[in-house]
Amino acid sequence: MVERVPPRSAQPRSRLRVLLASGAAALALTAGSVVGVPVGAAPQQAQAADSGTSTLTVAVAQSVDSLSPFLAQRLMSTSISRLMYDFLTNYDPKDNHAIPGLATKWEPSADKLTWTYTIRSDSKWSDGQQATAEDAAWTFNKMMTDEGAAQANGNFVANFKKVTAPSPTQLVIELKEPQATMAALDVPIVPKHVWEKVGDFSKFNNDTKFPIVGNGPFVLTDYKVDQYVKLKANKDFWRGKPKFDELVFKTYKDQDAAVAALRKGEVSFVAGSPALTPAQAASLKGEKNIKVNEGPGRRFFALATNPGAQTKDGKKFGNGNKALLDQKVRQALFLSIDRKTIIDKVFQGHAVEGQGYIPPRYSTYHWQPSADQSLAYDPAKAAKLLDEAGYPLKGDQRVGKDGKPLDLRILCHATDPNDKAIGKYLKEWWGKLGVGLKVDCLDDVSVPWYAGEYDLAFDGWSVNPDPDFVLGIHTCAALPVKAKDSATTDNFICDKTYDELYKKQLAEYDTAKRADIVKQMQSWMYDSGYMNIIAYPNAVEAYRTDQIKSIKTMPEAAGNIYGQDGYWSWWSAVPAGRSSSDSSGGSGSTGVVVGIIVAVVVLAGGGLFLAKRRRTTADDRE
């Protein structure tokens, strides 16, 4: 599962898998003040101390789009799916190589068109039933035959020919063509006996009955829209029970309030939106019992241009500025962006200057443009390209052949300070070129985005160790079936050259050869001007050391805690005052971590999810 920023990110869709999940995939926040403890409510700390239950409370900015693993695309949601359900394989936290998950081993046939997975016999669903190969086969077959079940991760099964379970411990997947992602199928396996009762997968959000049956390290026990998600440790998890008894993700719409809650000890961990701002991080450094963790991020921050919204059958819709259909115009805009200033002034050094589509954290696939190819900051060259494109200066404005000034709009996430700050710079830089810019900062950018009613947008995705998902969201197959429908597409890109490269990389099992193709795809994307990667933000987060004794980052040497490619952080976290070897969750150990349980607030609309997930954050897809 990829976590995406909304496309930033990348959020609702019918097929492929930002956001983010991807996502993507940019976490989007909802405007407003943080929901607090109701008047008269007993402090959770006292309750936890009395019960001897250790609770790890995580302050998050992003809301859940869906608890259904078939629909979830935001980073928050896909991260929870990893805690609730096991995948066939997992990623090693040291170097990202594939390791056993629900499958203990996997072997291809000589022609690599048939893959056989050995399913472990020591995994149980939380209702006591055995997890078997039949559950995995049913999960994949449902995605292959039901479009509603393929919205989040359908790209993984698009090439599947047949999936069977000859025995409880054997899963066989037959392919139409070779597929390099067979050891990286980021699909949560669900219990057949529970999910076969579901009717419309496109509308079922898995939020009607608790606890939710799963076989991951945690079991989801309660959920309130835009307030909190509660999980308890799965004592029967095959890898071992988590050290914390409970895990609570608490939603804060105001990240300064989340940081304040960390200072007070009301929460154990703060993730940021999706990272702490430089000011927030600086204010926490050096404070007693608080540790700020910073490592290379797995996401990118980008500008996306509207290449002309269209459906799979080629029907145009939306009102994107036609000037952006010209590659010279797109490149001119990017040539007038001073990335160094953005890194220094906006991210204040907590990011790396953007280049290729895949972050440098994934060195195998990371790409950099040559000196001749680079669209480095060059306002003079940008002006020349606009002249060549037919947009000369008249006074202080660029004017097209129709006599109309070149004025553009950019979608901005209202709760993302980076979007707002960079929007001001763009308005200034492009204004000097004679290009007008309106920065549209909205709480929910999904409506205009999927309607194709924008010119540019702040975009971003969390990238997995295997890059297939974030590459696939730019294929023609990812386009919506109907205008304004949710779809896998990040930005309506559809190009035969790119599609051919995508198919080649997917069918290439040799890592070096596949990496070369992936780099060709990034080169094409860069030259096209459809996507401009501005920065690779660092993961900046903080936690209380008097509540969390130790916790694993990914990569282990220097990486992130929140939003990992796996469940390592929360599964490994050890409560302060407890030995790391003590996995008995119910002991009355000292240093009990406590959380605040938010009061149930009845929201307008009954708190129901929209099946169409929103592009509202900076990092929506996993």
Side-chain angles (χ1 to χ4, degrees):
M1 309 164 74
V2 172
E3 298 148 307
R4 137 191 217 162
V5 188
R8 190 191 282 257
S9 337
Q11 282 119 3
R13 24 316 241 30
S14 67
R15 131 2 238 159
L16 221 83
R17 156 189 120 154
V18 285
L19 168 44
L20 181 339
S22 223
L27 290 226
L29 305 173
T30 307
S33 59
V34 63
V35 178
V37 177
V39 176
Q44 173 72 8
Q45 183 161 359
Q47 295 172 5
D50 292 342
S51 65
T53 298
S54 57
T55 302
L56 171 54
T57 303
V58 180
V60 295
Q62 193 179 52
S63 301
V64 169
D65 55 349
S66 179
L67 292 179
S68 166
F70 297 100
L71 302 178
Q73 297 206 31
R74 292 183 184 170
L75 178 60
M76 175 66 186
S77 309
T78 55
S79 295
I80 290 174
S81 288
R82 286 187 175 275
L83 299 175
M84 297 167 61
Y85 304 103
D86 216 351
F87 294 26
L88 289 182
T89 62
N90 206 331
Y91 297 105
D92 188 280
K94 294 181 180 179
D95 61 9
N96 292 321
H97 77 271
I99 60 174
L102 183 60
T104 59
K105 64 179 181 179
W106 45 96
E107 299 174 311
S109 59
D111 61 5
K112 295 186 178 179
L113 291 178
T114 300
W115 287 71
T116 301
Y117 298 80
T118 299
I119 303 302
R120 64 177 59 257
S121 57
D122 57 352
S123 176
K124 289 185 178 181
W125 298 111
S126 52
D127 62 1
Q129 292 199 35
Q130 184 72 29
T132 69
E134 180 60 29
D135 294 304
W138 186 89
T139 299
F140 291 127
N141 277 307
K142 175 56 67 172
M143 294 168 62
M144 293 164 62
T145 58
D146 186 331
E147 186 177 345
Q151 289 195 38
N153 300 299
N155 66 301
F156 287 113
V157 303
N159 184 46
F160 285 11
K161 180 179 180 180
K162 185 179 180 181
V163 182
T164 58
S167 75
T169 58
Q170 188 178 66
L171 175 72
V172 179
I173 300 177
E174 298 178 36
L175 304 174
K176 301 172 186 175
E177 302 288 343
Q179 182 168 324
T181 61
M182 297 307 288
L185 296 174
D186 293 327
V187 177
I189 304 302
V190 302
K192 174 185 176 182
H193 65 282
V194 173
W195 283 83
E196 63 183 354
K197 301 172 185 177
V198 174
D200 189 344
F201 275 68
S202 68
K203 297 180 179 179
F204 180 70
N205 284 295
N206 199 22
D207 59 347
T208 58
K209 185 178 180 180
F210 301 98
I212 296 175
V213 178
N215 64 339
F218 289 90
V219 177
L220 199 151
T221 59
D222 194 12
Y223 164 73
K224 290 293 178 284
V225 176
D226 290 336
Q227 295 182 48
Y228 63 80
V229 179
K230 292 181 61 179
L231 304 99
K232 68 177 181 180
N234 181 358
K235 61 182 178 60
D236 295 322
F237 183 52
W238 64 267
R239 197 183 289 274
K241 179 188 175 184
K243 308 299 187 299
F244 275 93
D245 301 306
E246 294 181 338
L247 177 61
V248 178
F249 291 97
K250 182 181 177 184
T251 305
Y252 280 81
K253 300 173 184 179
D254 181 342
Q255 286 306 285
D256 286 333
V259 170
L262 183 75
R263 284 198 176 91
K264 297 175 185 177
E266 295 173 348
V267 299
S268 317
F269 181 98
V270 173
S273 59
L276 295 177
T277 66
Q280 290 168 341
S283 72
L284 291 173
K285 285 184 177 178
E287 287 215 7
K288 184 179 180 181
N289 297 326
I290 291 180
K291 177 179 176 60
V292 175
N293 178 65
E294 181 167 1
R298 55 181 285 236
R299 55 179 291 266
F300 61 74
F301 184 96
L303 278 186
T305 60
N306 184 346
Q310 61 179 311
T311 58
K312 285 186 177 180
D313 60 4
K315 292 182 180 178
K316 306 292 184 180
F317 63 95
N319 60 8
N321 195 310
K322 290 181 171 54
L324 294 175
L325 299 180
D326 191 323
Q327 181 186 34
K328 289 184 178 180
V329 174
R330 298 193 298 267
Q331 291 188 339
L333 295 177
F334 297 157
L335 282 165
S336 55
I337 297 175
D338 186 350
R339 293 180 186 80
K340 187 177 187 306
T341 292
I342 291 176
I343 298 299
D344 293 343
K345 301 297 185 181
V346 178
F347 291 100
Q348 296 183 30
H350 298 278
V352 176
E353 192 171 325
Q355 295 175 315
Y357 193 70
I358 308 298
R361 169 166 165 170
Y362 304 113
S363 57
T364 299
Y365 297 105
H366 180 60
W367 169 87
Q368 299 179 12
S370 64
D372 294 339
Q373 186 180 16
S374 177
L375 296 174
Y377 183 53
D378 191 339
K381 186 175 180 180
K384 182 179 179 181
L385 283 178
L386 288 175
D387 288 338
E388 293 175 0
Y391 294 92
L393 267 177
K394 283 192 177 182
D396 59 356
Q397 286 188 317
R398 294 277 170 180
V399 178
K401 295 178 181 179
D402 56 4
K404 295 181 180 180
L406 181 54
D407 291 325
L408 302 172
R409 305 157 296 170
I410 185 168
L411 286 177
C412 155
H413 300 81
T415 50
D416 192 321
N418 292 332
D419 281 14
K420 293 180 179 180
I422 296 173
K424 291 181 180 179
Y425 277 111
L426 295 181
K427 194 166 186 176
E428 175 187 346
W429 292 331
W430 293 352
K432 291 179 180 179
L433 276 178
V435 178
L437 181 66
K438 179 183 178 183
V439 182
D440 291 327
C441 291
L442 307 173
D443 289 336
D444 181 1
V445 302
S446 66
V447 176
W449 201 311
Y450 283 101
E453 296 173 353
Y454 69 100
D455 301 325
L456 301 108
F458 289 109
D459 195 359
W461 281 86
S462 289
V463 180
N464 284 351
D466 188 292
D468 180 70
F469 177 81
V470 291
L471 298 175
I473 58 178
H474 298 302
T475 61
C476 299
L479 293 173
V481 174
K482 296 180 181 179
K484 301 184 180 183
D485 271 6
S486 63
T488 306
T489 185
D490 175 36
N491 202 44
F492 302 107
I493 295 173
C494 177
D495 182 89
K496 290 183 179 180
T497 298
Y498 183 88
D499 274 17
E500 289 174 0
L501 288 171
Y502 174 76
K503 292 177 181 178
K504 284 181 64 178
Q505 68 82 26
L506 183 60
E508 182 54 69
Y509 286 109
D510 183 281
T511 301
K513 292 180 180 178
R514 185 182 180 213
D516 182 64
I517 301 170
V518 170
K519 291 176 182 179
Q520 292 179 49
M521 296 174 72
Q522 294 180 76
S523 179
W524 179 91
M525 183 78 72
Y526 187 89
D527 289 341
S528 74
Y530 290 133
M531 293 282 293
N532 183 253
I533 311 302
I534 294 178
Y536 309 113
N538 290 349
V540 186
E541 49 206 358
Y543 64 92
R544 295 197 62 91
T545 56
D546 58 347
Q547 296 185 8
I548 302 175
K549 177 181 179 180
S550 63
I551 192 167
K552 184 174 294 187
T553 63
M554 184 178 184
E556 288 183 350
N560 57 296
I561 294 173
Y562 177 75
Q564 294 181 359
D565 297 296
Y567 44 69
W568 307 111
S569 54
W570 314 126
W571 174 78
S572 72
V574 177
R578 181 182 299 179
S579 168
S580 59
S581 62
D582 177 14
S583 60
S584 58
S587 66
S589 60
T590 60
V592 173
V593 177
V594 300
I596 295 180
I597 304 302
V598 185
V600 175
V601 177
V602 179
L603 303 178
L608 295 179
F609 285 119
L610 293 179
K612 174 178 179 181
R613 292 163 301 294
R614 300 170 296 174
R615 278 177 201 268
T616 50
T617 109
D619 207 9
D620 270 279
R621 250 306 250 191
E622 174 193 49

